[in-house]
Amino acid sequence: MAVRGRFAPTPSGRMHLGNLMAALLAWLDVRSQGGVMVLRIEDLDPQRTSLAWAQQLADDLRWLGLDWDEGGLEPDWRQSCRGAYYQAAFDKLRGLGLVYPCYCSRAQRLAAGAPHGGEEGGAGCRCLHLSPAERAAREEAGRRPAWRVRAPGETVTVVDGHLGPYAQDLARDCGDFILRRSDGVWAYQLAVVVDDGLMGINRVVRGADLLPSAPRQAWLHRLLGHPPPQFCHLPLLVDESGRRLAKRDRDLDLEALRARHSPQELTGYLAWLAGLLPERESVTPAQLIPLFSWAKVPKKEIVAPAP
Ligand code: GLU
């Protein structure tokens, strides 16, 4: 079966070092297997994302030397334009009796959050048990619900291609999670599964911060009738004090990095951090293809000194 991988960035700002590492390894994973690379823009949230950031993102990827075979900035590949697909999947899950409206406020959701679920956590959400009359009363009062899917009391194990088996009891560890927000915005968990399924993605390479989402996504893939992709999560980058690198570190975003480094220098730096080069040197992504192997990539957090 042909390998199909993707970059799926959220255009909510300039990319930073961690995004770039994920993009480089996703690209190397696909290119080293002669596969197809897809670019999908995860711009679900109109408050946080924009087409201008997506254009910048595509420009930054090209600057580094990362290309794609399908996808891009056209509407078919932007989640903000793919609501009909999410609606169809939502209707299917609803038809299975797995979806219910939740009228909790954001503050209530946070207070009731499952241990790992944060705002997502719906383990204790009483909205599941509302009577039709109680629902009607809330609707009449003008309350717009979010929509949750009922997480099964089932252990779902994902065998990560890099980190190995990872199991969660979905009801206990995630709770009933949100498919659609009360403002109508589709949730990441649903959109990512629908799109990976419809786009025939069979390799998902991304940061380990998303490993806790993988069992939920594998479960949704099965319900929606597609085989889950092979997930490969890469360790997060941290600074020398162990703090995770994030978008707020402006000196590590692409604007600052492009001002100070050539694309080959930056690629060599990332490849060295990822264990693909014994020392820092200037290379192109294409020169790394024969050197790429997951066995070389660390499994624990990678300490990134200043580039
Ligand atoms: N859009 C997500 C992000 O930029 C990545 C989603 C995924 O790879 O599944 O963090």
Side-chain angles (χ1 to χ4, degrees):
M1 188 173 44
V3 163
R4 290 177 64 84
R6 45 54 158 202
F7 310 123
T10 300
S12 59
R14 201 77 188 253
M15 284 201 291
H16 62 88
L17 215 50
N19 304 129
L20 214 53
M21 179 66 102
L24 176 64
L25 293 194
W27 186 89
L28 287 170
D29 180 74
V30 165
R31 292 285 176 246
S32 64
Q33 299 181 82
V36 173
M37 192 72 204
V38 174
L39 173 64
R40 178 176 74 232
I41 303 297
E42 301 213 323
D43 57 350
L44 288 169
D45 187 340
Q47 308 293 330
R48 288 180 52 233
T49 63
S50 72
L51 186 54
W53 281 127
Q55 283 159 343
Q56 182 65 64
L57 230 143
D59 185 68
D60 285 338
L61 290 171
R62 282 197 207 94
W63 173 80
L64 199 74
L66 302 179
D67 62 350
W68 52 94
D69 309 302
E70 292 179 22
L73 304 178
E74 297 302 314
D76 279 355
W77 307 93
R78 297 205 322 259
Q79 290 189 325
S80 58
C81 303
R82 295 177 55 82
Y85 298 112
Y86 312 141
Q87 183 70 55
F90 178 88
D91 291 344
K92 184 165 180 182
L93 296 171
R94 207 170 176 190
L96 295 172
L98 291 173
V99 175
Y100 66 94
C102 166
Y103 296 90
C104 294
S105 65
R106 185 161 187 271
Q108 282 169 313
R109 287 208 297 274
L110 284 171
H116 309 293
E119 193 177 346
E120 286 279 305
C125 182
R126 277 170 298 175
C127 294
L128 175 60
H129 306 292
L130 292 177
S131 67
E134 287 168 323
R135 281 183 190 165
R138 284 165 174 74
E139 294 284 339
E140 266 163 40
R143 304 262 291 273
R144 293 275 79 84
W147 294 87
R148 289 185 188 275
V149 64
R150 294 182 66 174
E154 179 189 315
T155 299
V156 175
T157 303
V158 165
V159 182
D160 187 88
H162 185 50
L163 299 178
Y166 179 81
Q168 275 180 342
D169 177 315
L170 292 189
R172 191 193 61 207
D173 298 334
C174 308
D176 297 344
F177 55 95
I178 290 179
L179 299 180
R180 191 172 201 177
R181 295 188 342 201
S182 58
D183 60 4
V185 172
W186 294 101
Y188 159 69
Q189 302 291 357
L190 180 69
V192 76
V193 168
V194 169
D195 286 344
D196 283 339
L198 291 177
M199 295 175 187
I201 300 299
N202 52 25
R203 305 277 301 180
V204 167
V205 174
R206 60 189 183 187
D209 52 328
L210 287 168
L211 182 60
S213 289
R216 260 174 288 184
Q217 294 173 5
W219 176 69
L220 282 178
H221 273 291
R222 282 197 293 271
L223 284 176
L224 293 173
H226 8 94
Q230 171 70 65
F231 294 100
C232 291
H233 289 87
L234 54 112
L236 298 178
L237 302 183
V238 297
D239 67 16
E240 273 147 334
S241 64
R243 198 174 58 99
R244 190 183 153 194
L245 304 186
K247 277 196 173 147
R248 62 179 175 274
D249 302 312
R250 292 301 307 276
D251 52 337
L252 296 179
D253 77 15
L254 262 276
E255 183 180 348
L257 292 169
R258 276 178 74 158
R260 293 199 307 264
H261 303 281
S262 70
Q264 294 79 14
E265 270 167 21
L266 206 53
T267 304
Y269 167 73
L270 291 168
W272 168 69
L273 289 180
L276 304 179
L277 290 176
E279 50 201 81
R280 291 172 71 160
E281 55 181 291
S282 290
V283 287
T284 62
Q287 287 171 317
L288 293 171
I289 296 172
L291 302 178
F292 179 70
S293 153
W294 279 106
K296 297 178 183 168
V297 179
K299 294 191 199 297
K300 297 243 162 64
E301 287 176 343
I302 299 175
V303 179

